[in-house]
Amino acid sequence: MILASLPPRDAFFETVWYLITTYQQFFFTGIFYTIMLSVIGTVGGFIIAFFFTIVRTTKIDTLRQSKVSIFFTIVSQKFINIYITIFRGTPMMVQAMIFYYGLSRLQISFWTPLVAGFVVVTLNTTAYITEVLRSGINGVDHGQLEASRSLGFSHGQSMKLIVLPQAIRQSLPAIGNEFIINLKDTSVLSVIGVTELFRATQLATSPNYRTTEGFFIAAILYLSMTLIASLLVNKFEKTSLRKEAMV
Amino acid sequence: MRKILLLIVLFTAVVTVSACSTESGFDITSETEIVVGLEAAFAPFNWATPTENGFTVPIANQTGFYADGFDVVMAQEIADALGLTLVIRAIEWDGLIPALLAGEIDLIIAGMSPTSERAQTVAFSDPYFQSEQVMVVRNDGNYADATSLDDFNGARIVAQLGTLQDDLIDQITGVNHQAALNDYASLVTALLNNASDGFVAELPVAMGIVAANSNLSYITFIDGNGFTVTPEDVTVSVALRQEDTALLSAINDALNAISTETRNGYMEAALTRQPQ
Amino acid sequence: MSDVLLKVENLEKSFGDNLVLNRVSLDINKGEVVSIIGASGSGKTTLLRCLNLLEHPNSGSILYHNQNLMDPTIDINKHRMNMGMVFQSFNLFNHLNVIDNLILAPKKLLQKSHEETCKEAIDKLSLVGLEPFAYQSVQTLSGGQKQRVAIARALMMHPDIMLFDEPTSALDPEMVGDVLNVIKDVAKTGMTMVIVTHEMAFAKEISDRVVYMDQGEIIEIQPQDQLFISPKKERTKTFLSRFMNI
């Protein structure tokens, strides 16, 4: 029974301790889903963004491509641009509501809030990383492409073998940053009932109404996650820079 | 190649949808479980707890989370009467009815009032609890000694978004009807910070809040001094899909077997179990 | 009469309103080394880059292996495999180490085996004096070393013509000599070469013929001993007088 242990309202730190010890399972679950959603969302987003980028950088060869193929390429490229505009131009919270409630009408059995949450984070992150990769590609010196073409590589081969690998490498800090942003932004998925850290905190504080103390704990947990993630991203940056700067 | 991919995706979607559409009516004899949806954040009706006790039911798909509360006890009674295993799902308030319609859950037992608006989309059982609407106020505020709605003339009053309570506020002449807030935690905070003078809540909920916050108390109104409500407004019922007619009769039978005293007893017990 | 490997006729190229190449014609014979000299803005770099269509001329023709490279229906990539290019800023592939820079194109484009290309890469690196650096990242190399790797990389595709775009202009003076020596070695193998350069002594030493360009036009083409010693045109004289005593 939890009963007698709830400290009085003015005992802030005792209440914090009480919440931590009593609801640690809730907080662990919340942390788990927050990290899971962020990791899968960022990785999934990167993978889809990679394919989007390949489509985006495909040059249309009016002489050698079939009309159908050209049509498909143009439509895909336009679709990708619209996709990016929409997913970067609307709040992820709104996207979550539309996806979760919208597809619920189809009565698909596996369409739970968690599944919807994974999908929304991934789709959202895709839009941002596609743009990051575009910047990355623009940042690769044009001479790389020229050298590649002069050896006889086609535009597509040059992209895949020379330009994209370098663009991705240069984009890694921004992608790491996107992961850190996701750690925080998954909190909006609470509105569709995903038990990430924010909602876990809501559940923990609901029956005892100790909202401030509860979210104080949540803040510390979020801060810990983002700090650790930042450290990892920095370390990764330093090791890859060190490899390149070896003299 | 991409076209083929698109076709495969469409095909899969169509197959999945048709395979998962709801069957015609919940069949008690062939089912083994009954899935109940609740918010798990509405004490003393339903809340989430990390510790088990004799009344808790595990929340599905969330290890370490258990549901407790008056609704959970009633849900267990109903499941036992129907001879089915009880499965509890925690779902955000706004998602409860969509989840019911989608077939994710079979019943909503979440302190939900059978309003006529909701009755257009779902079916409601007989009431399983009757309550009254009270006003929660600060002990050191201007309204601690109020006894009737008239005493709240000019007061800043608030309620939870999307609830009956929010609609009732306008019955107070001269009231300052503040914008509704998302949940009871926000209402409590608003009151404690003197952003509001009071909020409307159901009696059990008010009791739970007051037990957890010694600076607050609630005002009950004797007949005639309080809100004018229809019977549905002060009751809570079980919500089901409209086509589950057999299930509806079974539930009503089960509820009839539980007397009012027993129910009130359950509510009081839940109040003592609620963390305070 | 030696074979004409590359026949350029009436090439015109504008960047916007700016006419950079004004009906330029030039024959490159097999086995010969042709240097192109001139002031900045004379169009010499543009002309060189037109030869493998890195710049696309507005009009004219470039005949190579019985094909007009200006024809949009041909596969330019195939032709580029036979034309090696060395850039002023080296353009080594930064994400690969030295030997990978060399083997990438032969493996992917010529479908050669890994063992075969690696062996050849090590050979080429020895030729340019950089074998110990084979497995290092290209970022660790000096400018001169990078350019030598770039030359080796171009040679790996066994081109029949090599194009050099100011190969030493971006190098510190102490490294220029090493790179020029490598280019001289390549010339000794009988490679057809077109070199855009400011290094007059080098051009004199290595070339069969020298092309002087000014304001998008070829002013004079002569065998090297004639152009440097007794240029025919006034403009050539004026240009050369800045570099040497005539």
Side-chain angles (χ1 to χ4, degrees), chain A residues 2-3 6 9 22 25 29 55 72 107 195 199 203 206-207 209-210, chain B residues 2 40-41 49-50 62-65 92 101 209 212-213 272 274 276:
Chain A
I2 322 163
L3 245 200
L6 181 66
R9 221 171 218 282
T22 317
Q25 177 63 47
T29 305
V55 171
F72 204 80
Q107 307 191 351
T195 319
R199 176 152 163 80
L203 291 176
S206 163
Y209 296 94
R210 298 293 192 262
Chain B
R2 273 179 265 242
T49 173
Q62 303 275 36
T63 33
F65 287 65
E92 276 271 304
L101 298 175
I209 290 173
N213 295 285
T272 55
Q274 177 189 343
Q276 37 187 304

PDB file of all heavy atoms in Angstrom, chain A residues 2-3 6 9 22 25 29 55 72 107 195 199 203 206-207 209-210, chain B residues 2 40-41 49-50 62-65 92 101 209 212-213 272 274 276:
ATOM      1  N   ILE A   2       0.532   2.144  -0.835  1.00  0.00           N
ATOM      2  CA  ILE A   2       1.363   3.337  -0.950  1.00  0.00           C
ATOM      3  C   ILE A   2       0.990   4.330   0.133  1.00  0.00           C
ATOM      4  O   ILE A   2       1.732   5.199   0.502  1.00  0.00           O
ATOM      5  CB  ILE A   2       1.116   4.016  -2.305  1.00  0.00           C
ATOM      6  CG1 ILE A   2       0.921   2.965  -3.379  1.00  0.00           C
ATOM      7  CG2 ILE A   2       2.219   4.963  -2.630  1.00  0.00           C
ATOM      8  CD1 ILE A   2       0.283   3.481  -4.620  1.00  0.00           C
ATOM      9  N   LEU A   3      -0.213   4.218   0.597  1.00  0.00           N
ATOM     10  CA  LEU A   3      -0.891   5.174   1.480  1.00  0.00           C
ATOM     11  C   LEU A   3      -0.033   6.133   2.305  1.00  0.00           C
ATOM     12  O   LEU A   3       0.219   7.254   1.934  1.00  0.00           O
ATOM     13  CB  LEU A   3      -1.789   4.386   2.432  1.00  0.00           C
ATOM     14  CG  LEU A   3      -3.291   4.615   2.311  1.00  0.00           C
ATOM     15  CD1 LEU A   3      -3.972   4.181   3.588  1.00  0.00           C
ATOM     16  CD2 LEU A   3      -3.580   6.089   2.085  1.00  0.00           C
ATOM     17  N   LEU A   6       2.962   9.200   1.400  1.00  0.00           N
ATOM     18  CA  LEU A   6       2.979  10.421   0.593  1.00  0.00           C
ATOM     19  C   LEU A   6       3.234  11.637   1.475  1.00  0.00           C
ATOM     20  O   LEU A   6       2.439  11.965   2.346  1.00  0.00           O
ATOM     21  CB  LEU A   6       1.650  10.590  -0.148  1.00  0.00           C
ATOM     22  CG  LEU A   6       1.551  11.827  -1.043  1.00  0.00           C
ATOM     23  CD1 LEU A   6       2.526  11.735  -2.200  1.00  0.00           C
ATOM     24  CD2 LEU A   6       0.135  11.979  -1.580  1.00  0.00           C
ATOM     25  N   ARG A   9       2.244  18.439   1.192  1.00  0.00           N
ATOM     26  CA  ARG A   9       2.436  19.223   0.003  1.00  0.00           C
ATOM     27  C   ARG A   9       3.647  20.140   0.014  1.00  0.00           C
ATOM     28  O   ARG A   9       4.219  20.451  -1.007  1.00  0.00           O
ATOM     29  CB  ARG A   9       1.195  20.077  -0.272  1.00  0.00           C
ATOM     30  CG  ARG A   9       0.915  20.071  -1.714  1.00  0.00           C
ATOM     31  CD  ARG A   9      -0.301  20.631  -2.237  1.00  0.00           C
ATOM     32  NE  ARG A   9      -0.739  19.789  -3.338  1.00  0.00           N
ATOM     33  CZ  ARG A   9      -0.211  19.813  -4.556  1.00  0.00           C
ATOM     34  NH1 ARG A   9       0.776  20.619  -4.841  1.00  0.00           N
ATOM     35  NH2 ARG A   9      -0.670  19.005  -5.485  1.00  0.00           N
ATOM     36  N   THR A  22       8.571   5.213  -5.327  1.00  0.00           N
ATOM     37  CA  THR A  22       7.313   4.514  -5.551  1.00  0.00           C
ATOM     38  C   THR A  22       7.064   4.220  -7.020  1.00  0.00           C
ATOM     39  O   THR A  22       6.604   3.152  -7.399  1.00  0.00           O
ATOM     40  CB  THR A  22       6.132   5.365  -5.040  1.00  0.00           C
ATOM     41  OG1 THR A  22       6.472   5.926  -3.795  1.00  0.00           O
ATOM     42  CG2 THR A  22       4.879   4.533  -4.941  1.00  0.00           C
ATOM     43  N   GLN A  25       9.223   2.183 -11.563  1.00  0.00           N
ATOM     44  CA  GLN A  25       8.872   1.356 -12.713  1.00  0.00           C
ATOM     45  C   GLN A  25       8.274   2.221 -13.821  1.00  0.00           C
ATOM     46  O   GLN A  25       8.574   2.038 -14.997  1.00  0.00           O
ATOM     47  CB  GLN A  25       7.875   0.272 -12.278  1.00  0.00           C
ATOM     48  CG  GLN A  25       7.389  -0.606 -13.398  1.00  0.00           C
ATOM     49  CD  GLN A  25       8.507  -1.391 -14.026  1.00  0.00           C
ATOM     50  OE1 GLN A  25       9.325  -1.998 -13.348  1.00  0.00           O
ATOM     51  NE2 GLN A  25       8.565  -1.381 -15.339  1.00  0.00           N
ATOM     52  N   THR A  29       9.944   2.749 -17.516  1.00  0.00           N
ATOM     53  CA  THR A  29       9.201   2.487 -18.753  1.00  0.00           C
ATOM     54  C   THR A  29       9.206   3.714 -19.649  1.00  0.00           C
ATOM     55  O   THR A  29       9.401   3.620 -20.863  1.00  0.00           O
ATOM     56  CB  THR A  29       7.758   2.089 -18.428  1.00  0.00           C
ATOM     57  OG1 THR A  29       7.777   0.994 -17.533  1.00  0.00           O
ATOM     58  CG2 THR A  29       6.996   1.708 -19.686  1.00  0.00           C
ATOM     59  N   VAL A  55      16.721   9.534 -54.868  1.00  0.00           N
ATOM     60  CA  VAL A  55      15.723   9.913 -55.871  1.00  0.00           C
ATOM     61  C   VAL A  55      15.873  11.381 -56.228  1.00  0.00           C
ATOM     62  O   VAL A  55      15.832  11.767 -57.392  1.00  0.00           O
ATOM     63  CB  VAL A  55      14.299   9.631 -55.332  1.00  0.00           C
ATOM     64  CG1 VAL A  55      13.249  10.213 -56.258  1.00  0.00           C
ATOM     65  CG2 VAL A  55      14.087   8.143 -55.174  1.00  0.00           C
ATOM     66  N   PHE A  72       7.923   8.875 -63.684  1.00  0.00           N
ATOM     67  CA  PHE A  72       7.957   8.391 -62.305  1.00  0.00           C
ATOM     68  C   PHE A  72       8.967   9.168 -61.479  1.00  0.00           C
ATOM     69  O   PHE A  72       8.718   9.508 -60.328  1.00  0.00           O
ATOM     70  CB  PHE A  72       8.302   6.896 -62.308  1.00  0.00           C
ATOM     71  CG  PHE A  72       7.803   6.210 -61.080  1.00  0.00           C
ATOM     72  CD1 PHE A  72       6.478   5.841 -60.968  1.00  0.00           C
ATOM     73  CD2 PHE A  72       8.658   5.954 -60.024  1.00  0.00           C
ATOM     74  CE1 PHE A  72       6.003   5.223 -59.835  1.00  0.00           C
ATOM     75  CE2 PHE A  72       8.199   5.335 -58.885  1.00  0.00           C
ATOM     76  CZ  PHE A  72       6.872   4.967 -58.791  1.00  0.00           C
ATOM     77  N   GLN A 107      -9.639   0.644 -38.507  1.00  0.00           N
ATOM     78  CA  GLN A 107      -9.796  -0.500 -37.597  1.00  0.00           C
ATOM     79  C   GLN A 107      -8.768  -1.590 -37.871  1.00  0.00           C
ATOM     80  O   GLN A 107      -9.083  -2.755 -37.963  1.00  0.00           O
ATOM     81  CB  GLN A 107     -11.214  -1.068 -37.693  1.00  0.00           C
ATOM     82  CG  GLN A 107     -12.260   0.024 -37.480  1.00  0.00           C
ATOM     83  CD  GLN A 107     -13.646  -0.531 -37.292  1.00  0.00           C
ATOM     84  OE1 GLN A 107     -13.871  -1.707 -37.484  1.00  0.00           O
ATOM     85  NE2 GLN A 107     -14.568   0.337 -36.915  1.00  0.00           N
ATOM     86  N   THR A 195       3.225   5.622 -23.821  1.00  0.00           N
ATOM     87  CA  THR A 195       3.758   5.757 -22.468  1.00  0.00           C
ATOM     88  C   THR A 195       5.245   6.071 -22.480  1.00  0.00           C
ATOM     89  O   THR A 195       6.058   5.342 -21.932  1.00  0.00           O
ATOM     90  CB  THR A 195       3.503   4.471 -21.670  1.00  0.00           C
ATOM     91  OG1 THR A 195       2.210   3.999 -21.975  1.00  0.00           O
ATOM     92  CG2 THR A 195       3.565   4.755 -20.170  1.00  0.00           C
ATOM     93  N   ARG A 199       4.173  10.995 -20.450  1.00  0.00           N
ATOM     94  CA  ARG A 199       2.924  10.370 -20.028  1.00  0.00           C
ATOM     95  C   ARG A 199       3.133   9.529 -18.780  1.00  0.00           C
ATOM     96  O   ARG A 199       2.284   9.491 -17.888  1.00  0.00           O
ATOM     97  CB  ARG A 199       2.352   9.516 -21.143  1.00  0.00           C
ATOM     98  CG  ARG A 199       1.107   8.754 -20.733  1.00  0.00           C
ATOM     99  CD  ARG A 199       0.201   8.473 -21.913  1.00  0.00           C
ATOM    100  NE  ARG A 199      -0.752   7.431 -21.602  1.00  0.00           N
ATOM    101  CZ  ARG A 199      -1.872   7.607 -20.911  1.00  0.00           C
ATOM    102  NH1 ARG A 199      -2.181   8.799 -20.453  1.00  0.00           N
ATOM    103  NH2 ARG A 199      -2.682   6.590 -20.677  1.00  0.00           N
ATOM    104  N   LEU A 203       0.939   9.769 -15.393  1.00  0.00           N
ATOM    105  CA  LEU A 203       0.302   8.667 -14.673  1.00  0.00           C
ATOM    106  C   LEU A 203       0.773   8.601 -13.233  1.00  0.00           C
ATOM    107  O   LEU A 203       0.001   8.330 -12.310  1.00  0.00           O
ATOM    108  CB  LEU A 203       0.620   7.342 -15.388  1.00  0.00           C
ATOM    109  CG  LEU A 203      -0.036   7.138 -16.757  1.00  0.00           C
ATOM    110  CD1 LEU A 203       0.437   5.850 -17.381  1.00  0.00           C
ATOM    111  CD2 LEU A 203      -1.546   7.148 -16.635  1.00  0.00           C
ATOM    112  N   SER A 206      -0.867  11.579 -11.307  1.00  0.00           N
ATOM    113  CA  SER A 206      -2.305  11.801 -11.358  1.00  0.00           C
ATOM    114  C   SER A 206      -3.026  11.501 -10.047  1.00  0.00           C
ATOM    115  O   SER A 206      -3.798  12.329  -9.563  1.00  0.00           O
ATOM    116  CB  SER A 206      -2.901  10.995 -12.502  1.00  0.00           C
ATOM    117  OG  SER A 206      -4.283  10.886 -12.335  1.00  0.00           O
ATOM    118  N   PRO A 207      -2.831  10.361  -9.421  1.00  0.00           N
ATOM    119  CA  PRO A 207      -3.621  10.100  -8.212  1.00  0.00           C
ATOM    120  C   PRO A 207      -3.174  10.907  -7.007  1.00  0.00           C
ATOM    121  O   PRO A 207      -3.939  11.086  -6.071  1.00  0.00           O
ATOM    122  CB  PRO A 207      -3.395   8.602  -7.966  1.00  0.00           C
ATOM    123  CG  PRO A 207      -2.144   8.281  -8.655  1.00  0.00           C
ATOM    124  CD  PRO A 207      -1.978   9.233  -9.777  1.00  0.00           C
ATOM    125  N   TYR A 209      -1.586  14.057  -7.296  1.00  0.00           N
ATOM    126  CA  TYR A 209      -1.603  15.480  -7.646  1.00  0.00           C
ATOM    127  C   TYR A 209      -0.308  16.199  -7.317  1.00  0.00           C
ATOM    128  O   TYR A 209      -0.283  17.405  -7.152  1.00  0.00           O
ATOM    129  CB  TYR A 209      -2.788  16.190  -6.973  1.00  0.00           C
ATOM    130  CG  TYR A 209      -4.110  15.662  -7.471  1.00  0.00           C
ATOM    131  CD1 TYR A 209      -4.774  14.640  -6.803  1.00  0.00           C
ATOM    132  CD2 TYR A 209      -4.673  16.161  -8.642  1.00  0.00           C
ATOM    133  CE1 TYR A 209      -5.972  14.146  -7.289  1.00  0.00           C
ATOM    134  CE2 TYR A 209      -5.870  15.665  -9.122  1.00  0.00           C
ATOM    135  CZ  TYR A 209      -6.515  14.650  -8.436  1.00  0.00           C
ATOM    136  OH  TYR A 209      -7.696  14.161  -8.912  1.00  0.00           O
ATOM    137  N   ARG A 210       0.810  15.484  -7.269  1.00  0.00           N
ATOM    138  CA  ARG A 210       2.099  16.147  -6.994  1.00  0.00           C
ATOM    139  C   ARG A 210       2.786  16.444  -8.325  1.00  0.00           C
ATOM    140  O   ARG A 210       3.851  15.924  -8.621  1.00  0.00           O
ATOM    141  CB  ARG A 210       2.990  15.256  -6.121  1.00  0.00           C
ATOM    142  CG  ARG A 210       2.404  14.958  -4.761  1.00  0.00           C
ATOM    143  CD  ARG A 210       2.344  16.223  -3.925  1.00  0.00           C
ATOM    144  NE  ARG A 210       2.063  15.931  -2.528  1.00  0.00           N
ATOM    145  CZ  ARG A 210       0.866  16.007  -1.963  1.00  0.00           C
ATOM    146  NH1 ARG A 210      -0.174  16.348  -2.686  1.00  0.00           N
ATOM    147  NH2 ARG A 210       0.722  15.727  -0.664  1.00  0.00           N
TER     148      ARG A 210
ATOM    149  N   ARG B   2       9.427   0.517 -58.393  1.00  0.00           N
ATOM    150  CA  ARG B   2       8.750   1.273 -57.344  1.00  0.00           C
ATOM    151  C   ARG B   2       7.239   1.095 -57.430  1.00  0.00           C
ATOM    152  O   ARG B   2       6.546   1.110 -56.428  1.00  0.00           O
ATOM    153  CB  ARG B   2       9.100   2.752 -57.451  1.00  0.00           C
ATOM    154  CG  ARG B   2      10.392   3.096 -56.695  1.00  0.00           C
ATOM    155  CD  ARG B   2      10.702   4.559 -56.842  1.00  0.00           C
ATOM    156  NE  ARG B   2      11.627   4.786 -57.936  1.00  0.00           N
ATOM    157  CZ  ARG B   2      12.826   5.319 -57.772  1.00  0.00           C
ATOM    158  NH1 ARG B   2      13.246   5.663 -56.604  1.00  0.00           N
ATOM    159  NH2 ARG B   2      13.617   5.518 -58.796  1.00  0.00           N
ATOM    160  N   ALA B  40      -6.708   5.601 -16.585  1.00  0.00           N
ATOM    161  CA  ALA B  40      -5.667   5.337 -15.580  1.00  0.00           C
ATOM    162  C   ALA B  40      -5.107   6.630 -15.016  1.00  0.00           C
ATOM    163  O   ALA B  40      -3.989   6.671 -14.521  1.00  0.00           O
ATOM    164  CB  ALA B  40      -4.548   4.480 -16.166  1.00  0.00           C
ATOM    165  N   ALA B  41      -5.857   7.723 -15.097  1.00  0.00           N
ATOM    166  CA  ALA B  41      -5.383   8.989 -14.536  1.00  0.00           C
ATOM    167  C   ALA B  41      -6.567   9.784 -14.004  1.00  0.00           C
ATOM    168  O   ALA B  41      -6.617  11.002 -14.156  1.00  0.00           O
ATOM    169  CB  ALA B  41      -4.640   9.784 -15.602  1.00  0.00           C
ATOM    170  N   THR B  49      -0.743   2.462 -10.818  1.00  0.00           N
ATOM    171  CA  THR B  49       0.112   2.290  -9.663  1.00  0.00           C
ATOM    172  C   THR B  49       1.173   1.237  -9.945  1.00  0.00           C
ATOM    173  O   THR B  49       0.925   0.294 -10.709  1.00  0.00           O
ATOM    174  CB  THR B  49      -0.703   1.886  -8.416  1.00  0.00           C
ATOM    175  OG1 THR B  49       0.221   1.575  -7.371  1.00  0.00           O
ATOM    176  CG2 THR B  49      -1.584   0.686  -8.720  1.00  0.00           C
ATOM    177  N   PRO B  50       2.352   1.401  -9.359  1.00  0.00           N
ATOM    178  CA  PRO B  50       3.387   0.403  -9.604  1.00  0.00           C
ATOM    179  C   PRO B  50       3.329  -0.801  -8.668  1.00  0.00           C
ATOM    180  O   PRO B  50       4.056  -1.768  -8.851  1.00  0.00           O
ATOM    181  CB  PRO B  50       4.690   1.185  -9.383  1.00  0.00           C
ATOM    182  CG  PRO B  50       4.324   2.313  -8.495  1.00  0.00           C
ATOM    183  CD  PRO B  50       2.869   2.581  -8.642  1.00  0.00           C
ATOM    184  N   GLN B  62       2.094  -3.248 -20.453  1.00  0.00           N
ATOM    185  CA  GLN B  62       2.944  -2.329 -19.704  1.00  0.00           C
ATOM    186  C   GLN B  62       3.404  -3.048 -18.460  1.00  0.00           C
ATOM    187  O   GLN B  62       2.721  -3.025 -17.447  1.00  0.00           O
ATOM    188  CB  GLN B  62       2.159  -1.082 -19.280  1.00  0.00           C
ATOM    189  CG  GLN B  62       1.523  -0.324 -20.421  1.00  0.00           C
ATOM    190  CD  GLN B  62       2.493   0.649 -21.039  1.00  0.00           C
ATOM    191  OE1 GLN B  62       3.676   0.362 -21.125  1.00  0.00           O
ATOM    192  NE2 GLN B  62       1.988   1.782 -21.435  1.00  0.00           N
ATOM    193  N   THR B  63       4.562  -3.713 -18.539  1.00  0.00           N
ATOM    194  CA  THR B  63       5.004  -4.428 -17.339  1.00  0.00           C
ATOM    195  C   THR B  63       5.281  -3.449 -16.229  1.00  0.00           C
ATOM    196  O   THR B  63       5.915  -2.424 -16.440  1.00  0.00           O
ATOM    197  CB  THR B  63       6.297  -5.224 -17.620  1.00  0.00           C
ATOM    198  OG1 THR B  63       7.058  -4.496 -18.570  1.00  0.00           O
ATOM    199  CG2 THR B  63       5.987  -6.598 -18.140  1.00  0.00           C
ATOM    200  N   GLY B  64       4.815  -3.799 -15.046  1.00  0.00           N
ATOM    201  CA  GLY B  64       5.066  -2.950 -13.892  1.00  0.00           C
ATOM    202  C   GLY B  64       3.986  -1.924 -13.653  1.00  0.00           C
ATOM    203  O   GLY B  64       4.057  -1.173 -12.683  1.00  0.00           O
ATOM    204  N   PHE B  65       3.012  -1.823 -14.551  1.00  0.00           N
ATOM    205  CA  PHE B  65       1.917  -0.873 -14.356  1.00  0.00           C
ATOM    206  C   PHE B  65       0.648  -1.629 -14.002  1.00  0.00           C
ATOM    207  O   PHE B  65       0.273  -2.571 -14.687  1.00  0.00           O
ATOM    208  CB  PHE B  65       1.651  -0.091 -15.658  1.00  0.00           C
ATOM    209  CG  PHE B  65       2.692   0.939 -15.988  1.00  0.00           C
ATOM    210  CD1 PHE B  65       3.989   0.555 -16.283  1.00  0.00           C
ATOM    211  CD2 PHE B  65       2.369   2.281 -16.019  1.00  0.00           C
ATOM    212  CE1 PHE B  65       4.945   1.498 -16.603  1.00  0.00           C
ATOM    213  CE2 PHE B  65       3.319   3.228 -16.359  1.00  0.00           C
ATOM    214  CZ  PHE B  65       4.605   2.837 -16.646  1.00  0.00           C
ATOM    215  N   GLU B  92      -5.691   7.313 -23.384  1.00  0.00           N
ATOM    216  CA  GLU B  92      -6.015   8.725 -23.194  1.00  0.00           C
ATOM    217  C   GLU B  92      -7.509   8.952 -23.322  1.00  0.00           C
ATOM    218  O   GLU B  92      -8.155   8.374 -24.190  1.00  0.00           O
ATOM    219  CB  GLU B  92      -5.325   9.527 -24.304  1.00  0.00           C
ATOM    220  CG  GLU B  92      -3.899   9.868 -24.026  1.00  0.00           C
ATOM    221  CD  GLU B  92      -3.839  11.184 -23.284  1.00  0.00           C
ATOM    222  OE1 GLU B  92      -4.384  12.162 -23.815  1.00  0.00           O
ATOM    223  OE2 GLU B  92      -3.269  11.211 -22.207  1.00  0.00           O
ATOM    224  N   LEU B 101     -14.633   1.908 -30.808  1.00  0.00           N
ATOM    225  CA  LEU B 101     -15.190   1.714 -32.142  1.00  0.00           C
ATOM    226  C   LEU B 101     -14.247   0.911 -33.024  1.00  0.00           C
ATOM    227  O   LEU B 101     -14.682   0.150 -33.887  1.00  0.00           O
ATOM    228  CB  LEU B 101     -15.482   3.076 -32.790  1.00  0.00           C
ATOM    229  CG  LEU B 101     -16.520   3.929 -32.049  1.00  0.00           C
ATOM    230  CD1 LEU B 101     -16.634   5.290 -32.704  1.00  0.00           C
ATOM    231  CD2 LEU B 101     -17.866   3.229 -32.023  1.00  0.00           C
ATOM    232  N   ILE B 209      -9.085  14.408  -4.239  1.00  0.00           N
ATOM    233  CA  ILE B 209      -8.213  15.576  -4.356  1.00  0.00           C
ATOM    234  C   ILE B 209      -7.983  16.199  -2.987  1.00  0.00           C
ATOM    235  O   ILE B 209      -6.861  16.560  -2.622  1.00  0.00           O
ATOM    236  CB  ILE B 209      -8.839  16.611  -5.307  1.00  0.00           C
ATOM    237  CG1 ILE B 209      -8.806  16.075  -6.735  1.00  0.00           C
ATOM    238  CG2 ILE B 209      -8.120  17.937  -5.196  1.00  0.00           C
ATOM    239  CD1 ILE B 209      -9.542  16.934  -7.714  1.00  0.00           C
ATOM    240  N   ALA B 212      -5.589  14.474  -0.804  1.00  0.00           N
ATOM    241  CA  ALA B 212      -4.180  14.620  -1.189  1.00  0.00           C
ATOM    242  C   ALA B 212      -3.684  16.052  -1.026  1.00  0.00           C
ATOM    243  O   ALA B 212      -2.489  16.309  -1.112  1.00  0.00           O
ATOM    244  CB  ALA B 212      -3.996  14.178  -2.633  1.00  0.00           C
ATOM    245  N   ASN B 213      -4.572  16.995  -0.811  1.00  0.00           N
ATOM    246  CA  ASN B 213      -4.181  18.407  -0.738  1.00  0.00           C
ATOM    247  C   ASN B 213      -4.895  19.060   0.438  1.00  0.00           C
ATOM    248  O   ASN B 213      -6.061  19.436   0.349  1.00  0.00           O
ATOM    249  CB  ASN B 213      -4.590  19.149  -2.017  1.00  0.00           C
ATOM    250  CG  ASN B 213      -3.839  18.624  -3.223  1.00  0.00           C
ATOM    251  OD1 ASN B 213      -2.674  18.913  -3.408  1.00  0.00           O
ATOM    252  ND2 ASN B 213      -4.531  17.846  -4.031  1.00  0.00           N
ATOM    253  N   THR B 272      -9.719   5.239  -0.017  1.00  0.00           N
ATOM    254  CA  THR B 272      -8.671   5.023   0.979  1.00  0.00           C
ATOM    255  C   THR B 272      -7.407   4.459   0.321  1.00  0.00           C
ATOM    256  O   THR B 272      -6.301   4.717   0.764  1.00  0.00           O
ATOM    257  CB  THR B 272      -9.127   4.064   2.087  1.00  0.00           C
ATOM    258  OG1 THR B 272      -9.581   2.857   1.460  1.00  0.00           O
ATOM    259  CG2 THR B 272     -10.223   4.668   2.924  1.00  0.00           C
ATOM    260  N   GLN B 274      -6.381   5.213  -2.646  1.00  0.00           N
ATOM    261  CA  GLN B 274      -5.732   6.225  -3.479  1.00  0.00           C
ATOM    262  C   GLN B 274      -4.601   6.896  -2.711  1.00  0.00           C
ATOM    263  O   GLN B 274      -4.771   7.229  -1.550  1.00  0.00           O
ATOM    264  CB  GLN B 274      -6.764   7.276  -3.887  1.00  0.00           C
ATOM    265  CG  GLN B 274      -6.177   8.408  -4.698  1.00  0.00           C
ATOM    266  CD  GLN B 274      -7.171   9.536  -4.903  1.00  0.00           C
ATOM    267  OE1 GLN B 274      -8.373   9.344  -4.717  1.00  0.00           O
ATOM    268  NE2 GLN B 274      -6.672  10.692  -5.250  1.00  0.00           N
ATOM    269  N   GLN B 276      -2.534   9.330  -0.840  1.00  0.00           N
ATOM    270  CA  GLN B 276      -2.934  10.640  -0.340  1.00  0.00           C
ATOM    271  C   GLN B 276      -1.989  11.193   0.716  1.00  0.00           C
ATOM    272  O   GLN B 276      -1.278  10.495   1.340  1.00  0.00           O
ATOM    273  CB  GLN B 276      -4.339  10.580   0.229  1.00  0.00           C
ATOM    274  CG  GLN B 276      -4.677   9.312   0.955  1.00  0.00           C
ATOM    275  CD  GLN B 276      -6.137   9.278   1.344  1.00  0.00           C
ATOM    276  OE1 GLN B 276      -6.581  10.194   2.016  1.00  0.00           O
ATOM    277  NE2 GLN B 276      -6.847   8.259   0.944  1.00  0.00           N
TER     278      GLN B 276
END
